Amino acid sequence: MMLESIKNWASDFFVTGDPLIYGADAAIVITLVAIVFGLTYFKKWGWLWRNWLTTVDHKKVGIMYILSAFLMMFRGGVDALLMRTQLAMPELQFLQPDHYNEIFTTHGVIMILFMAMPFMFGLFNVAVPLQLGARDVAYPFMNALSFWLFFAGAMLFNLSFVIGGSPDAGWLAYPPYSELMYNPGVGQDFYIWGIQISGIGSLMTGINFIVTILKLRAPGMKLMKMPMFSWSVLASCIAIIFSFPILTATLALLFLDRYGGAHFFTLDGGGNPMMYINLIWMWGHPEVYIIVLPAFGIFSEVVSTFSRKKLFGYKSMVYAMMIISILSFLVWAHHFFTMGSGANVNAFFALSTMVIAIPTGVKVFNWLFTMFRGRISFESPMLWTTGFIPCFVIGGMTGVLLSVAPADFQYHNSYFLIAHFHQVIIGGVVFGYFAGLYYWWPKLFGFKLNERIGKWAFWFWNIGFYLCFMPQYVLGLDGMTRRLVTYSWDKGWWGLNLVSSIGAGLMGIAFLFQVWQILHGIKHYRSNLDTTGDPWDGRTLEWSIPSPAPHYNFAVLPQVSDQDEWWEEKQRRQKEGYTAVAPEFSPIHMPNNSGIPIIMAGCWFLAGFGFVFHWLWLIIPGLAGVALCMLAHSFNYDTDHYIPVEDIKRTEASIWGAANL
């Protein structure tokens, strides 16, 4: 009897019955065993703890963010390929309807919240302190905690794939589909707590980088001399601190509906599901600009560097980014023109959506005029930038079409909208983050990646992208709606769907090229070493220090007098009569590593898992662990140290050579 009870419990607790799930189970177990075996065999547990799991170095935190983003890109990309396989031909039975619902739900959540956001935060950490001439972020401990909270939330969400069952109410979890009556499983609770825990980290990152940018700029760096990427981060973080509390409150209300029997979003209990949809899009549309604004900053840096010209219209670019950050909160209702809001409401949001396209378009002209008569070199970062421009222009134009309320009644809920969204997110956000990754890779790791493999990845991404999403505009106009699990032969959609699925496969191959490029770079890194610290002939301060950057970033804080300070400094050094001044070192104040962030995130993970299954015996110790970690940190006074001058001299001599100091 007991054995039978255990079997029944296990069949409910673990996801069973699908070969794909069993394959995932096996892959997870094999991967974990391989990691544990490798760390044990090579005796790297202590190294891992000291150098990575407890680090507060912003550069290492950035690397962990980017690595997590690539893992999530793989998971979300597999979901996309599964969906495109199901839709490649009519009446296929590759995925069952329930499984298909889970996959398109998890694909959206993972790609936006667990791929794009950590990729963005990783690039924040990699570049912003270096561009500002700072030695670290404003709050290093909080920065590490932000990462581990994101990671705990992402792991909790992904665990639903094999335990309990994935959420299946769409990536924004609209009621009533996400309410207990229609969704009694635990998948939606995994959704809520995975995003809630991760969202706490996102909000803290927004606060951290606003303070870093406003308070830690190098001497002489006025705001209007700040690099454009740092401006884009400031605009993005302002949107984060105003929008993510909305997401937190919205999901908390949904959880109360499900866990406590409240009726905020259920009509029969006096609530209103439209309130949820308004709230989720009051976060959701700023979120689109939160992730695309930093990409705009990356393109600005790349275009200026590889055109060998100062960025055209610097001030107009700054104003455009800040205006977008503000206007992004005034367009949310264009996501439901068809909901019966009324002509006046629809007209306001149609106009506000058209208006926000103006500062967005301004930046495209800024980049084109920067390239005009420039000495352009087409290396990987510039390739991704030039690939972005036509892609984003098409996405922007189709967005303006969607902003026309009467036309949206035709386009809404169709594959036209799917194509537009991916055109903007992949062509704008992902291409931008790739450009940033290739651009700052030498600064992080001290070597450049292979350009030949990078070009293969670039062309497979671009060709695959257009093959995948251009047909979807036509499919949408032909009446193919979103969330279809299959369709019949008489619809006439199969040809375009097949082409779209082939395009998705090409993008999958492009991702494999990028993995190969990174592995190839690691294997042959000695032949691509950056010994100058400035492999691109850059313009901003991060290129004035060695590659990879030392722990303290700058041995001596730079004095800034120009917009492109490092470029201007190089011009000054080329003039006759220039004499180098020997640096005067002083002890450098740096934060200590701490194990509290990862332990606190682990406690949040346990509490979140307890909330998913309503296990008070796990919720209470999890939250108690969070409180104890906060208490321990409050009474920890050994939080920092000074690097002696002798150590600084030794490090700088090993990098540059004693004769150059």
Side-chain angles (χ1 to χ4, degrees):
M1 182 64 73
M2 180 177 292
L3 183 61
E4 190 66 29
S5 299
I6 293 173
K7 285 182 178 180
N8 291 334
W9 175 84
S11 64
D12 291 334
F13 186 70
F14 295 103
V15 179
T16 59
D18 192 316
L20 291 173
I21 302 296
Y22 295 138
D25 291 337
I28 291 169
V29 171
I30 292 170
T31 302
L32 289 175
V33 169
I35 291 171
V36 171
F37 175 80
L39 290 171
T40 304
Y41 182 80
F42 293 104
K43 300 179 180 179
K44 291 293 185 179
W45 284 105
W47 166 85
L48 182 67
W49 177 258
R50 290 188 303 272
N51 290 285
W52 293 97
L53 301 184
T54 62
T55 187
V56 295
D57 182 351
H58 68 92
K59 299 178 289 297
K60 289 183 176 179
V61 171
I63 291 169
M64 291 192 292
Y65 266 124
I66 292 169
L67 179 60
S68 301
F70 262 77
L71 291 173
M72 292 298 100
M73 185 182 293
F74 173 76
R75 163 72 206 278
V78 169
D79 283 347
L81 290 173
L82 291 173
M83 287 189 287
R84 287 314 318 167
T85 301
Q86 169 65 22
L87 294 172
M89 298 293 286
E91 300 175 2
L92 286 182
Q93 300 294 319
F94 177 68
L95 295 175
Q96 295 304 311
D98 288 347
H99 194 186
Y100 185 85
N101 287 346
E102 294 174 354
I103 285 176
F104 81 68
T105 298
T106 56
H107 168 73
V109 176
I110 286 170
M111 286 304 205
I112 296 296
L113 289 167
F114 299 133
M115 187 281 289
M117 290 294 284
F119 209 154
M120 177 182 82
F121 290 152
L123 295 173
F124 285 12
N125 276 279
V126 165
V128 170
L130 302 183
Q131 285 197 332
L132 298 178
R135 292 197 170 110
D136 211 323
V137 295
Y139 306 114
F141 176 90
M142 190 165 78
N143 194 38
L145 179 60
S146 299
F147 167 75
W148 288 114
L149 285 173
F150 147 74
F151 192 76
M155 291 301 100
L156 183 64
F157 180 88
N158 278 272
L159 202 60
S160 66
F161 186 58
V162 294
I163 293 178
S166 297
D168 60 1
W171 81 277
L172 288 176
Y174 284 180
Y177 307 117
S178 56
E179 292 284 2
L180 200 59
M181 179 183 295
Y182 298 100
N183 211 315
V186 296
Q188 210 55 44
D189 299 303
F190 272 114
Y191 172 98
I192 291 169
W193 284 100
I195 294 175
Q196 288 287 55
I197 294 169
S198 176
I200 298 170
S202 299
L203 183 59
M204 291 196 301
T205 299
I207 295 168
N208 204 346
F209 278 89
I210 288 176
V211 178
T212 300
I213 290 168
L214 294 181
K215 302 299 290 185
L216 295 187
R217 299 190 306 280
M221 184 182 283
K222 305 296 184 184
L223 281 173
M224 279 301 176
K225 293 178 182 175
M226 194 164 67
M228 192 53 63
F229 179 66
S230 294
W231 265 114
S232 71
V233 171
L234 179 61
S236 177
C237 289
I238 289 171
I240 285 173
I241 65 171
F242 286 106
S243 65
F244 266 80
I246 301 173
L247 176 66
T248 300
T250 305
L251 293 182
L253 294 176
L254 181 62
F255 181 72
L256 288 174
D257 272 13
R258 293 179 57 84
Y259 189 82
H263 292 283
F264 292 105
F265 308 127
T266 54
L267 281 172
D268 57 350
N272 190 344
M274 276 304 300
M275 182 168 69
Y276 179 95
I277 295 173
N278 272 281
L279 287 170
I280 203 72
W281 279 116
M282 287 172 71
W283 159 80
H285 204 84
E287 167 67 7
V288 173
Y289 288 101
I290 284 168
I291 59 177
V292 82
L293 280 170
F296 292 160
I298 292 167
F299 293 133
S300 301
E301 302 290 345
V302 169
V303 164
S304 180
T305 297
F306 290 91
S307 299
R308 305 294 184 266
K309 283 177 63 181
K310 190 179 288 288
L311 183 67
F312 180 88
Y314 174 90
K315 287 186 178 180
S316 66
M317 186 77 85
V318 170
Y319 296 143
M321 288 200 182
M322 301 310 292
I323 288 169
I324 288 172
S325 182
I326 296 167
L327 289 180
S328 67
F329 288 89
L330 301 177
V331 296
W332 81 86
H334 71 209
H335 289 276
F336 42 92
F337 280 145
T338 60
M339 296 290 189
S341 300
N344 291 335
V345 172
N346 283 359
F348 173 84
F349 285 98
L351 288 172
S352 65
T353 305
M354 295 175 194
V355 167
I356 204 171
I358 297 171
T360 306
V362 164
K363 292 190 292 301
V364 176
F365 286 106
N366 285 116
W367 297 318
L368 292 175
F369 282 124
T370 303
M371 288 188 276
F372 181 65
R373 292 183 176 176
R375 292 180 288 118
I376 303 174
S377 60
F378 287 98
E379 296 182 80
S380 287
M382 192 63 179
L383 274 180
W384 286 103
T385 300
T386 51
F388 146 81
I389 291 176
C391 191
F392 195 77
V393 167
I394 295 170
M397 289 190 300
T398 55
V400 172
L401 289 175
L402 287 162
S403 75
V404 180
D408 188 68
F409 276 72
Q410 169 66 29
Y411 306 138
H412 190 77
N413 208 38
S414 76
Y415 260 76
F416 188 95
L417 180 61
I418 296 290
H420 157 74
F421 185 76
H422 286 83
Q423 187 104 40
V424 173
I425 298 301
I426 296 179
V429 175
V430 178
F431 284 13
Y433 294 173
F434 285 161
L437 182 63
Y438 286 113
Y439 184 58
W440 285 304
W441 183 276
K443 187 55 56 185
L444 270 181
F445 299 106
F447 65 92
K448 293 169 67 174
L449 293 171
N450 183 277
E451 284 289 320
R452 182 176 59 86
I453 304 174
K455 286 181 171 62
W456 278 99
F458 170 80
W459 287 111
F460 265 87
W461 261 109
N462 275 267
I463 294 169
F465 175 84
Y466 284 103
L467 276 178
C468 184
F469 294 107
M470 291 300 108
Q472 293 184 15
Y473 285 114
V474 182
L475 285 167
L477 295 175
D478 279 350
M480 184 171 176
T481 57
R482 294 185 287 170
R483 308 183 182 96
L484 283 181
V485 67
T486 190
Y487 53 93
S488 57
W489 285 96
D490 61 354
K491 296 292 186 183
W493 298 336
W494 73 270
L496 291 171
N497 270 301
L498 180 61
V499 172
S500 181
S501 296
I502 292 170
L506 292 180
M507 286 191 285
I509 294 171
F511 179 80
L512 295 179
F513 269 112
Q514 289 177 306
V515 174
W516 175 28
Q517 185 183 17
I518 292 171
L519 295 176
H520 180 277
I522 294 170
K523 182 178 179 181
H524 301 283
Y525 79 96
R526 293 185 185 278
S527 60
N528 295 299
L529 282 176
D530 169 30
T531 58
T532 66
D534 189 12
W536 311 120
D537 194 15
R539 308 180 72 85
T540 45
L541 289 175
E542 69 267 35
W543 306 112
S544 67
I545 58 176
S547 299
H551 174 56
Y552 48 76
N553 295 345
F554 296 88
V556 177
L557 291 181
Q559 179 70 42
V560 176
S561 58
D562 293 285
Q563 180 185 317
D564 290 339
E565 175 59 28
W566 176 234
W567 180 266
E568 298 299 335
E569 174 65 17
K570 287 187 287 187
Q571 307 313 306
R572 291 192 288 267
R573 292 182 182 184
Q574 291 175 4
K575 293 179 180 178
E576 292 184 12
Y578 173 83
T579 55
V581 179
E584 294 184 8
F585 300 121
S586 58
I588 296 175
H589 179 251
M590 295 299 292
N592 291 341
N593 285 358
S594 175
I596 293 176
I598 188 173
I599 296 171
M600 188 188 297
C603 293
W604 268 114
F605 178 90
L606 293 177
F609 197 82
F611 276 117
V612 167
F613 287 97
H614 300 191
W615 291 345
L616 280 176
W617 59 268
L618 194 57
I619 295 170
I620 293 171
L623 293 179
V626 172
L628 288 173
C629 286
M630 295 171 68
L631 195 65
H633 183 62
S634 299
F635 288 96
N636 177 24
Y637 299 104
D638 183 23
T639 59
D640 48 54
H641 65 279
Y642 280 89
I643 303 176
V645 171
E646 293 75 19
D647 290 353
I648 300 168
K649 287 182 177 179
R650 193 179 305 114
T651 302
E652 293 294 302
S654 68
I655 296 169
W656 300 116
N660 295 322
L661 295 181

